[in-house]
Amino acid sequence: MNDSLYQEIILEHNRKPRNFREMPDADRMVEGRNPTCGDSLTLWVRLADDRVVDVSFKGQGCAISKASASLMTSAVKGKTRAEAEDLFGRFHRLVTGTLPEAEQQSLGSLRALGGVSRFPLRVKCASLAWHALHSALASEAHEVSTEDVGGELSSGEGA
Ligand code: ZN
């Protein structure tokens, strides 16, 4: 654990978010909202042969939500749908404080968000882009709100 390094990654991704653009030829577009904090984003995904060939986002929100979306898009680009869902599973356990240290290595830069497990409200900020991705991969749904899955999101509260 190196909190200052992780902090630096978050600040850098917030300042210069990766894949921060609209995607006119996207296959899926999902709106994500986190009313608790006021974060909102639009996520675009282009799929080919069950693989995420391109993913981008635009939106407004706190540093955590923006950095997380930036890190997420960087992490899942090129991955199959199953690989992306698997990554979401591990990421969700990371931010809710239930992912063993040994398994955290596999998350790379995404580990920078691990600190939010100490702040339940921030878990929603860090998860917003991932829930939007999950929705985009699962269906053609157009809107996702962290309020709809609040129980699941706060499951790590007591950890
Ligand atoms: Zn936020």
Side-chain angles (χ1 to χ4, degrees):
M1 273 289 193
N2 184 334
D3 281 350
S4 66
L5 172 66
Y6 288 165
Q7 186 72 16
E8 191 51 46
I9 292 173
I10 291 170
L11 291 175
E12 205 272 327
H13 274 265
N14 177 53
R15 211 157 41 222
K16 285 192 294 178
R18 315 298 193 272
N19 307 302
F20 193 77
R21 58 184 156 81
E22 295 179 20
M23 195 193 301
D25 60 343
D27 296 306
R28 306 282 164 84
M29 185 184 93
V30 171
E31 305 279 342
R33 290 183 301 111
N34 175 19
T36 311
C37 179
D39 310 314
S40 67
L41 61 79
T42 304
L43 186 79
W44 290 271
V45 178
R46 202 150 58 81
L47 295 164
D49 297 330
D50 217 40
R51 196 173 286 275
V52 178
V53 289
D54 201 6
V55 54
S56 68
F57 80 103
K58 276 193 107 169
Q60 302 173 3
C62 65
I64 297 284
S65 69
K66 202 184 243 183
S68 181
S70 174
L71 285 159
M72 183 280 283
T73 55
S74 303
V76 303
K77 202 187 279 191
K79 295 238 185 322
T80 65
R81 202 186 298 230
E83 287 167 346
E85 291 288 356
D86 176 67
L87 202 54
F88 178 31
R90 271 178 289 147
F91 179 80
H92 190 257
R93 287 161 67 207
L94 173 80
V95 296
T96 52
T98 59
L99 189 69
E101 186 83 32
E103 282 186 58
Q104 294 181 15
Q105 303 300 322
S106 67
L107 287 175
S109 300
L110 294 172
R111 278 181 297 164
L113 275 311
V116 304
S117 63
R118 298 193 293 271
F119 309 98
L121 287 177
R122 288 296 180 197
V123 173
K124 293 189 176 189
C125 302
S127 304
L128 178 61
W130 287 92
H131 281 286
L133 175 74
H134 175 72
S135 174
L137 294 180
S139 68
E140 313 239 355
H142 294 291
E143 192 169 341
V144 59
S145 168
T146 55
E147 294 308 288
D148 301 336
V149 283
E152 184 208 339
L153 278 174
S154 56
S155 61
E157 214 160 320

